[in-house]
Amino acid sequence: MQSTDAKTGKQPAKIAGGFNCINDFLSEHGIKPTRQRVAIATHIFETEQHLSADTILERVNDDATTTNVSKATVYNTLKLFVREGILKEVALDPQRILFDTNTHHHHHVLNLDNGDIRDIQPVSINLSEIEGLQQHHNISDVDLIIKVRDNKD
Amino acid sequence: MQSTDAKTGKQPAKIAGGFNCINDFLSEHGIKPTRQRVAIATHIFETEQHLSADTILERVNDDATTTNVSKATVYNTLKLFVREGILKEVALDPQRILFDTNTHHHHHVLNLDNGDIRDIQPVSINLSEIEGLQQHHNISDVDLIIKVRDNKD
DNA sequence: ATGTCTGCAAAAAATTTGCAGTCCC
DNA sequence: GGGACTGCAAATTTTTTGCAGACAT
């Protein structure tokens, strides 16, 4: 697709490690691939799937091969990514707001004993059990979080 | 039940509007009914069911008949109430962490167009659809939020 | 040069901590 | 008086805003 090339006719700056597919990925989603955004995206999309804003800041700035960024930029960039649909913000718990690289419709299993998060396929929920719903409303999203503890047996 | 009376033999301070059932309610749950806590509890349990920390602060301090409290006290008291099980903290959305006076197991319907929240009965979810769950884990909670928009037709 | 956009310092908002003052006994 | 607990000022953490500089025409 190479949208940046097509428009400007010049190659974007090379990214650490030789990845410029991240650039293309951002461009394809209408996000100008600046150094800061590429640094953040690289860390988000190449490590774990569920990360908090300050874990991301930490990782980006600990990595000497990518630009350092300010906290404000991390927040603003993450919000931008959510707005452009390449990231999803998930409130797993009042204490744990995370960003999820899986933007498809899915649910989560949260292990309360060790904090692990696992994605699960959409579950069939019988919406007709819920009174007074289908007449007036369009369902726009269904958030489901199953909280489990390790079996002590 | 009047547990405060039974223990100390003296009547707790009269609450605005003549309610001292709030005192008893707190006492029954092992929470010493101080002026600040009673003020906060009065507002939480007598108005809407879903409130944010700063709405609660605002309401308590706007009401001339109840003690004024600091922001810190509102936070600490709400956390205490959650710990003692008379209140539930709900992450409806990354941007909306609310306190819910309904501590029974239930779910929520959130109207994205007007912000309204409605409680719904627990829905039957077929957990056997979820691979690798029942063997290793005890389900400790199931959070379900159905986000709807008003039908435009 | 000029209008648009970016990144971040500083501001604001949200939450937690630490400790002075109270309340029992 | 002394141990335990309460409420809040201050500290910390999280998030947002506003604007100086960069960038593309």
Side-chain angles (χ1 to χ4, degrees):
Chain A
M1 290 290 141
Q2 304 279 94
S3 58
T4 301
D5 292 4
K7 269 227 280 262
T8 66
K10 87 173 173 215
Q11 198 61 245
K14 200 90 178 180
I15 308 309
F19 297 107
N20 58 31
C21 55
I22 291 271
N23 286 33
D24 296 341
F25 175 65
L26 294 179
S27 298
E28 279 163 25
H29 287 272
I31 299 165
K32 199 193 286 185
T34 64
R35 276 183 305 125
Q36 289 84 346
R37 290 171 181 177
V38 172
I40 293 168
T42 300
H43 284 272
I44 294 174
F45 292 99
E46 287 175 8
T47 60
E48 277 163 68
Q49 189 192 304
H50 303 97
L51 293 165
S52 67
D54 70 319
T55 305
I56 294 167
L57 176 72
E58 216 168 79
R59 300 231 181 138
V60 171
N61 289 343
D62 282 356
D63 180 350
T65 68
T66 55
T67 325
N68 276 31
V69 296
S70 74
K71 223 173 198 201
T73 298
V74 171
Y75 278 99
N76 292 339
T77 302
L78 292 174
K79 272 179 49 176
L80 172 69
F81 286 0
V82 169
R83 213 160 48 236
E84 299 302 332
I86 64 173
L87 209 55
K88 221 174 168 181
E89 197 173 3
V90 184
L92 264 196
D93 221 67
Q95 275 65 42
R96 275 185 91 188
I97 310 273
L98 301 178
F99 292 88
D100 189 343
T101 54
N102 181 351
T103 55
H104 299 113
H105 188 249
H106 68 287
H107 304 306
H108 293 103
V109 176
L110 171 64
N111 185 321
L112 296 172
D113 287 317
N114 59 24
D116 281 356
I117 302 158
R118 204 157 56 76
D119 281 9
I120 55 176
Q121 292 303 313
V123 167
S124 47
I125 291 167
N126 183 0
L127 293 171
S128 67
E129 287 179 29
I130 302 164
E131 341 67 79
L133 198 66
Q134 53 285 62
Q135 302 93 320
H136 310 302
H137 300 118
N138 296 320
I139 308 275
S140 102
D141 211 351
V142 177
D143 289 0
L144 173 66
I145 298 152
I146 298 178
K147 298 181 181 175
V148 302
R149 289 199 177 279
D150 292 327
N151 213 316
K152 290 301 178 303
D153 306 340
Chain B
M1 291 296 144
Q2 307 279 96
S3 57
T4 302
D5 292 2
K7 270 229 276 260
T8 66
K10 90 172 172 216
Q11 198 60 245
K14 201 91 179 179
I15 309 309
F19 298 105
N20 57 31
C21 53
I22 291 272
N23 287 33
D24 296 341
F25 175 66
L26 295 178
S27 298
E28 278 162 26
H29 287 272
I31 298 165
K32 199 194 285 186
T34 64
R35 274 182 306 123
Q36 287 84 344
R37 290 170 180 178
V38 171
I40 292 167
T42 301
H43 283 272
I44 294 174
F45 292 100
E46 288 175 7
T47 60
E48 276 164 66
Q49 190 192 302
H50 304 96
L51 292 165
S52 67
D54 70 319
T55 305
I56 294 166
L57 176 73
E58 215 168 78
R59 299 230 181 140
V60 170
N61 288 344
D62 282 355
D63 180 349
T65 67
T66 54
T67 325
N68 276 30
V69 296
S70 74
K71 221 171 199 202
T73 298
V74 171
Y75 278 99
N76 292 338
T77 301
L78 292 174
K79 273 180 50 176
L80 172 69
F81 287 0
V82 170
R83 213 159 48 238
E84 298 303 331
I86 64 172
L87 208 55
K88 221 175 170 182
E89 199 173 1
V90 184
L92 263 198
D93 221 67
Q95 274 65 43
R96 276 184 89 187
I97 310 275
L98 300 178
F99 291 89
D100 188 344
T101 53
N102 181 352
T103 56
H104 299 110
H105 188 249
H106 69 287
H107 304 306
H108 293 102
V109 175
L110 170 64
N111 185 321
L112 296 172
D113 287 318
N114 59 25
D116 281 356
I117 302 157
R118 205 156 55 76
D119 282 9
I120 55 176
Q121 293 302 312
V123 166
S124 48
I125 292 167
N126 185 0
L127 294 172
S128 66
E129 287 179 32
I130 303 164
E131 343 67 81
L133 199 67
Q134 54 284 61
Q135 304 91 319
H136 311 301
H137 299 119
N138 296 320
I139 308 274
S140 106
D141 211 350
V142 177
D143 289 359
L144 174 66
I145 299 152
I146 298 177
K147 297 179 182 175
V148 302
R149 289 201 177 278
D150 292 326
N151 213 314
K152 290 299 177 305
D153 307 340

